[in-house]
Amino acid sequence: MTNATVKNDFNQDLLQFIAASPTPFHAAAEMAQRLTAAGFQRLYEADHWQLEVGGRYFVTRNDSSIVAFVHASEPFSESGIRMVGAHTDSPCLKIKPQADVKSAGYHQVGVEVYGGALLNTWFDRDLSIAGRVTYKDASSEPLSCLVDFKAPVAVVPSLAIHLDREANRNRSINPQQDILPVLMLADASEDAPDFARLLAAELSNQQESGAASLAAGDILDFELCLYDTQAPALIGLKREFIASARLDNLLSCYVGLQALLASDGKQHRLLVCNDHEEVGSASACGAKGPMLDQFLQRMIPDVSERMRTLDRSIMISADNAHGIHPNFTAKHDAQHGPRLNAGPVIKVNANQRYATNSETSGMFRLLCQEAGVPVQSFVSRTDMECGSTIGPITSAEVGVRTIDIGVPTFAMHSIRELAGSDDAFALKQVLELFYRRPLRLGQSV
């Protein structure tokens, strides 16, 4: 099998992974399914854990964050842990609890903007609905399940240019008024639409949800978002690009997972994919919360051994980087404009918006050299504010040396983003080497 065939198979599976993951809940479930198929044992936080050498484990929290771990043979405090981090969430439109809106003879649904969404890209797209629903069962106990309408059931229509002559010159979007999706025509005899009834009917139709024969009154609450139904695709005259929703940051989740599954050796290996990065990570399952630290405490109960282990550990925080846009080159520092399909990007910021330092950067450059993968760097223009990632947060919360990297991307936070078809596979090769290669850290002359 040629390398081109292996890369194409990798990219096709990446597209399938993203298509199966319209929400963080679905992403965590998809990862859990793949880990289980690969022989990983699921742990539950309420249970007592008996971790064994050679064991492969994973645990989820809030159904939307996941930690997977390979317990290798080396003593923790001698080899440390090779960690890769990413996040499962993406900017989107989330449905409000009192969802029903009726206007001008149409049923609509109230939405709230999650994260820093590029709102203009949400107009005129074929949208569906997915997420988690909590309902009461026949015994009046609360249960939760996932739901995915899959079919296009909503749209946010643009206002015609004839009614907004300034649209191409000076358009602003009011998130309260302008982005309410249309679901259907309203029956004149109805006082109000009933989103709960529609949701109950959809759940009842989805046999895998286990929520058969639900009524609207059985729905207790939900966390639902809208998503674009257009399938991910390889595009371009030479199929050089990946076009998809949620590349930020499901691409990194997938690459980290594939590297973990493909790796072997004596090194302890961990993958953590947190929810809520796009809104600051401050939650029980976010990077600013205790999930990873509590996992490490249960894995290595002795405080001294855990501190020694962390001193020999390193985390690669993988989150997409801004590729230099050919139409907006002035938005980049002239010396730090990463190109698509030119390799993964090391992200640097003097004010610790990224956790990269010379030690971790040097380590990653060495890995890229050994893997035969080109590497790039990104630094924001000094006169522009820099974004951030789970990297600095995890480094501060856990105390592990960290580097921020990612594949270069166009249109970050758009409903449909663009990455290079070579870069995800290249990053997987580097992360797989990282997981298995012994590293001497903290060595100074």
Side-chain angles (χ1 to χ4, degrees), residues 427-441:
L427 180 57
K428 183 259 186 183
Q429 293 175 293
V430 178
L431 295 186
E432 186 179 344
L433 177 60
F434 166 72
Y435 271 138
R436 71 169 183 264
R437 188 194 189 283
L439 292 167
R440 295 176 64 189
L441 301 170

Side-chain angles (χ1 to χ4, degrees), residues 28-29 32-33 36 39-44 47 56-61 63 66:
Q33 182 179 7
T36 300
F40 280 67
Q41 176 185 345
R42 183 164 197 157
L43 302 173
Y44 295 92
D47 294 345
R56 297 186 293 174
Y57 307 98
F58 73 93
V59 63
T60 64
R61 181 176 288 188
D63 300 326
I66 189 166

Side-chain angles (χ1 to χ4, degrees), residues 4 15 54 63 115 121 126 168 175 177 190 228 237 267 274 281 290 304 314 322-323 338 340 395 429 439:
L15 302 186
D63 300 326
T121 64
D126 299 342
N168 290 332
Q177 299 174 348
E190 290 182 322
D228 186 8
L237 289 175
Q267 309 304 313
N274 292 110
S281 295
S304 177
I314 189 166
H322 296 292
L340 272 60
S395 181
Q429 293 175 293
L439 292 167

